[in-house]
Short mmCIF file of all heavy atoms in Angstrom, two decimals:
data_model
loop_
_atom_site.label_atom_id
_atom_site.label_comp_id
_atom_site.label_asym_id
_atom_site.label_seq_id
_atom_site.Cartn_x
_atom_site.Cartn_y
_atom_site.Cartn_z
N LEU A 66 -9.87 -28.95 35.27
CA LEU A 66 -10.52 -27.89 34.32
C LEU A 66 -9.46 -26.86 34.03
O LEU A 66 -9.26 -26.30 32.95
CB LEU A 66 -11.51 -27.23 35.08
CG LEU A 66 -12.90 -28.02 35.35
CD1 LEU A 66 -13.85 -27.19 36.39
CD2 LEU A 66 -13.43 -28.31 33.94
N THR A 67 -8.49 -26.54 34.99
CA THR A 67 -7.40 -25.52 34.61
C THR A 67 -6.46 -26.15 33.55
O THR A 67 -6.03 -25.32 32.72
CB THR A 67 -6.61 -25.23 36.02
OG1 THR A 67 -7.52 -24.65 37.01
CG2 THR A 67 -5.44 -24.18 35.68
N PHE A 68 -6.22 -27.37 33.69
CA PHE A 68 -5.24 -28.12 32.84
C PHE A 68 -5.81 -28.06 31.29
O PHE A 68 -5.20 -27.78 30.40
CB PHE A 68 -4.76 -29.47 33.29
CG PHE A 68 -3.95 -30.15 32.32
CD1 PHE A 68 -2.60 -29.75 32.18
CD2 PHE A 68 -4.38 -31.25 31.73
CE1 PHE A 68 -1.81 -30.46 31.36
CE2 PHE A 68 -3.46 -31.98 30.74
CZ PHE A 68 -2.25 -31.49 30.75
N ALA A 69 -7.17 -28.40 31.31
CA ALA A 69 -7.79 -28.41 30.06
C ALA A 69 -7.97 -27.09 29.52
O ALA A 69 -7.76 -26.84 28.32
CB ALA A 69 -9.22 -28.94 30.25
N GLY A 70 -8.07 -26.05 30.29
CA GLY A 70 -8.19 -24.64 29.87
C GLY A 70 -6.90 -24.20 29.15
O GLY A 70 -6.75 -23.57 28.13
N ALA A 71 -5.79 -24.60 29.84
CA ALA A 71 -4.45 -24.31 29.31
C ALA A 71 -4.09 -24.91 27.99
O ALA A 71 -3.54 -24.40 27.11
CB ALA A 71 -3.45 -24.79 30.34
N ILE A 72 -4.58 -26.22 27.85
CA ILE A 72 -4.38 -26.98 26.55
C ILE A 72 -5.13 -26.23 25.46
O ILE A 72 -4.73 -26.00 24.30
CB ILE A 72 -4.82 -28.39 26.68
CG1 ILE A 72 -3.99 -29.22 27.57
CG2 ILE A 72 -4.98 -28.99 25.27
CD1 ILE A 72 -4.33 -30.64 27.75
N CYS A 73 -6.40 -25.77 25.69
CA CYS A 73 -7.23 -25.15 24.76
C CYS A 73 -6.64 -23.80 24.37
O CYS A 73 -6.60 -23.34 23.12
CB CYS A 73 -8.77 -24.85 25.30
SG CYS A 73 -9.72 -26.33 25.46
N GLN A 74 -6.19 -23.13 25.30
CA GLN A 74 -5.47 -21.78 25.14
C GLN A 74 -4.29 -21.94 24.30
O GLN A 74 -3.98 -21.18 23.38
CB GLN A 74 -5.18 -21.06 26.44
CG GLN A 74 -4.54 -19.62 26.18
CD GLN A 74 -5.54 -18.67 25.60
OE1 GLN A 74 -6.67 -18.64 25.91
NE2 GLN A 74 -4.98 -17.89 24.60
N GLY A 75 -3.46 -22.92 24.46
CA GLY A 75 -2.30 -23.23 23.79
C GLY A 75 -2.55 -23.66 22.25
O GLY A 75 -1.94 -23.23 21.36
N GLN A 76 -3.74 -24.38 22.21
CA GLN A 76 -3.99 -24.68 20.80
C GLN A 76 -4.56 -23.52 20.06
O GLN A 76 -4.27 -23.36 18.87
CB GLN A 76 -5.28 -25.81 20.83
CG GLN A 76 -4.72 -27.21 21.34
CD GLN A 76 -5.95 -28.16 21.52
OE1 GLN A 76 -7.15 -27.61 21.66
NE2 GLN A 76 -5.70 -29.42 21.41
N ALA A 77 -5.26 -22.70 20.68
CA ALA A 77 -5.81 -21.47 20.10
C ALA A 77 -4.65 -20.54 19.61
O ALA A 77 -4.58 -20.09 18.61
CB ALA A 77 -6.77 -20.62 21.08
N ASN A 78 -3.73 -20.40 20.56
CA ASN A 78 -2.38 -19.52 20.20
C ASN A 78 -1.71 -20.12 19.02
O ASN A 78 -1.11 -19.44 18.19
CB ASN A 78 -1.49 -19.45 21.41
CG ASN A 78 -2.15 -18.51 22.39
OD1 ASN A 78 -3.13 -17.74 22.17
ND2 ASN A 78 -1.66 -18.47 23.69
N SER A 79 -1.67 -21.56 19.01
CA SER A 79 -0.91 -22.17 17.87
C SER A 79 -1.67 -21.88 16.63
O SER A 79 -1.06 -21.68 15.64
CB SER A 79 -0.85 -23.70 18.27
OG SER A 79 -0.30 -24.44 17.12
N GLU A 80 -2.89 -21.97 16.65
CA GLU A 80 -3.70 -21.57 15.41
C GLU A 80 -3.52 -20.22 14.94
O GLU A 80 -3.40 -19.91 13.82
CB GLU A 80 -5.21 -21.89 15.73
CG GLU A 80 -5.52 -23.39 15.86
CD GLU A 80 -7.06 -23.56 16.35
OE1 GLU A 80 -7.66 -22.47 16.44
OE2 GLU A 80 -7.36 -24.72 16.49
N LEU A 81 -3.50 -19.22 15.87
CA LEU A 81 -3.12 -17.81 15.51
C LEU A 81 -1.81 -17.63 14.90
O LEU A 81 -1.60 -16.89 14.08
CB LEU A 81 -3.39 -16.91 16.75
CG LEU A 81 -4.82 -16.92 17.40
CD1 LEU A 81 -4.82 -16.12 18.68
CD2 LEU A 81 -5.75 -16.31 16.39
N THR A 82 -0.87 -18.38 15.58
CA THR A 82 0.53 -18.31 15.01
C THR A 82 0.54 -18.88 13.62
O THR A 82 1.25 -18.28 12.76
CB THR A 82 1.48 -19.22 15.82
OG1 THR A 82 1.55 -18.70 17.24
CG2 THR A 82 2.91 -19.26 15.36
N SER A 83 -0.20 -19.92 13.30
CA SER A 83 -0.22 -20.46 11.87
C SER A 83 -0.85 -19.41 11.09
O SER A 83 -0.41 -19.21 9.87
CB SER A 83 -1.12 -21.71 11.91
OG SER A 83 -0.40 -22.73 12.62
N LEU A 84 -1.88 -18.65 11.36
CA LEU A 84 -2.49 -17.64 10.58
C LEU A 84 -1.48 -16.53 10.39
O LEU A 84 -1.35 -16.02 9.23
CB LEU A 84 -3.82 -17.10 11.14
CG LEU A 84 -4.92 -18.15 11.34
CD1 LEU A 84 -6.13 -17.41 12.17
CD2 LEU A 84 -5.42 -18.49 9.99
N ARG A 96 -10.27 -13.59 14.46
CA ARG A 96 -10.06 -14.54 15.53
C ARG A 96 -9.45 -13.60 16.70
O ARG A 96 -9.77 -14.00 17.91
CB ARG A 96 -8.94 -15.60 15.24
CG ARG A 96 -9.43 -16.61 14.14
CD ARG A 96 -10.44 -17.54 14.60
NE ARG A 96 -9.79 -18.39 15.73
CZ ARG A 96 -9.18 -19.52 15.41
NH1 ARG A 96 -8.99 -19.96 14.04
NH2 ARG A 96 -8.47 -20.29 16.28
N THR A 100 -9.86 -12.96 21.65
CA THR A 100 -8.81 -13.21 22.51
C THR A 100 -8.21 -12.06 23.18
O THR A 100 -8.62 -10.94 22.86
CB THR A 100 -7.70 -13.95 21.80
OG1 THR A 100 -7.24 -12.96 20.74
CG2 THR A 100 -8.18 -15.10 21.14
N THR A 101 -7.28 -12.13 24.09
CA THR A 101 -6.51 -11.05 24.66
C THR A 101 -5.06 -11.25 24.54
O THR A 101 -4.63 -12.27 24.18
CB THR A 101 -6.90 -10.90 26.13
OG1 THR A 101 -6.53 -12.16 26.84
CG2 THR A 101 -8.40 -10.64 26.44
N LEU A 103 -1.40 -11.01 22.92
CA LEU A 103 -0.76 -11.19 21.66
C LEU A 103 -0.52 -9.80 20.93
O LEU A 103 -0.91 -9.56 19.90
CB LEU A 103 -1.70 -12.11 20.81
CG LEU A 103 -1.91 -13.47 21.47
CD1 LEU A 103 -3.10 -14.17 20.58
CD2 LEU A 103 -0.71 -14.32 21.56
N TYR A 106 0.65 -9.77 17.05
CA TYR A 106 -0.34 -10.12 16.09
C TYR A 106 -1.46 -8.95 16.03
O TYR A 106 -1.82 -8.65 14.87
CB TYR A 106 -1.10 -11.34 16.45
CG TYR A 106 -0.25 -12.69 16.65
CD1 TYR A 106 -0.74 -13.87 17.19
CD2 TYR A 106 0.99 -12.61 16.07
CE1 TYR A 106 0.04 -15.01 17.14
CE2 TYR A 106 1.84 -13.72 16.15
CZ TYR A 106 1.40 -14.87 16.68
OH TYR A 106 2.32 -16.03 16.73
#
Side-chain angles (χ1 to χ4, degrees):
L66 290 173
T67 301
F68 181 65
I72 291 176
C73 291
Q74 183 64 42
Q76 290 175 340
N78 288 348
S79 177
E80 291 173 0
L81 295 175
T82 298
S83 297
L84 293 173
R96 296 284 293 278
T100 62
T101 58
L103 305 172
Y106 298 169

